[in-house]
Amino acid sequence: MSPFTSFVLSVVPCVAATPWTADLERQPVHARPALEVRYTSGARDAFEIEAEEYRLIGELRAPHRLVDADNRDDEWLWFELRGPDGATHASRSNPEPSRINLYRRGPYFCEIHWLDVRLADANGALAPLKGD
């Protein structure tokens, strides 16, 4: 017997019928719209949403905005609260970092929770809010 032995691995696809089989036949992966969410770097100071028709950057450091990736002046989202006394608190003024968790993803969605987004006034004082 030779000291060298060859192994041949044969992989046979096994596909069990699932409740989604019919859906997958009608909506093959290559025909679905592009959608991806990821951190922009290992520093985790921003995340990117890349879709078929747009690309957005979520800033996880001040000013905590969601902006167009190609034009950072084009703001899509930020958080702001104006109290009955006229005082304004906004995510733009909070110096503390925020974070995201990607909870679920499907063929047409990515469920992202943006956490630890605090609202502060222009001096950095946090709004007197509590929430989950």
Side-chain angles (χ1 to χ4, degrees):
M1 177 171 251
S2 167
F4 300 102
T5 306
S6 296
F7 291 99
V8 176
L9 178 62
S10 177
V11 178
V12 178
C14 276
V15 179
T18 69
W20 306 286
T21 301
D23 289 339
L24 293 174
E25 289 172 3
R26 286 192 295 274
Q27 293 293 326
V29 172
H30 69 274
R32 295 178 187 162
L35 181 62
E36 185 62 50
V37 178
R38 61 183 164 265
Y39 286 107
T40 57
S41 73
R44 294 187 173 197
D45 56 358
F47 65 95
E48 178 179 32
I49 301 172
E50 188 171 1
E52 197 157 307
E53 297 183 10
Y54 58 87
R55 243 180 77 233
L56 303 175
I57 300 293
E59 301 166 334
L60 298 174
R61 306 290 184 267
H64 301 279
R65 308 170 302 160
L66 190 62
V67 297
D68 186 297
D70 298 322
N71 178 5
R72 295 284 180 108
D73 293 329
D74 185 6
E75 298 176 313
W76 283 49
L77 174 75
W78 72 91
F79 302 99
E80 188 171 286
L81 174 70
R82 190 175 320 266
D85 60 354
T88 300
H89 292 81
S91 59
R92 292 175 172 166
S93 303
N94 179 24
E96 297 298 318
S98 58
R99 60 192 174 94
I100 61 166
N101 280 343
L102 179 57
Y103 281 84
R104 295 184 301 158
R105 64 182 309 153
Y108 303 101
F109 71 92
C110 291
E111 181 181 338
I112 306 162
H113 293 210
W114 197 341
L115 306 164
D116 302 330
V117 178
R118 305 283 308 267
L119 306 181
D121 65 15
N123 297 320
L126 296 176
L129 300 172
K130 267 198 162 195
D132 293 328

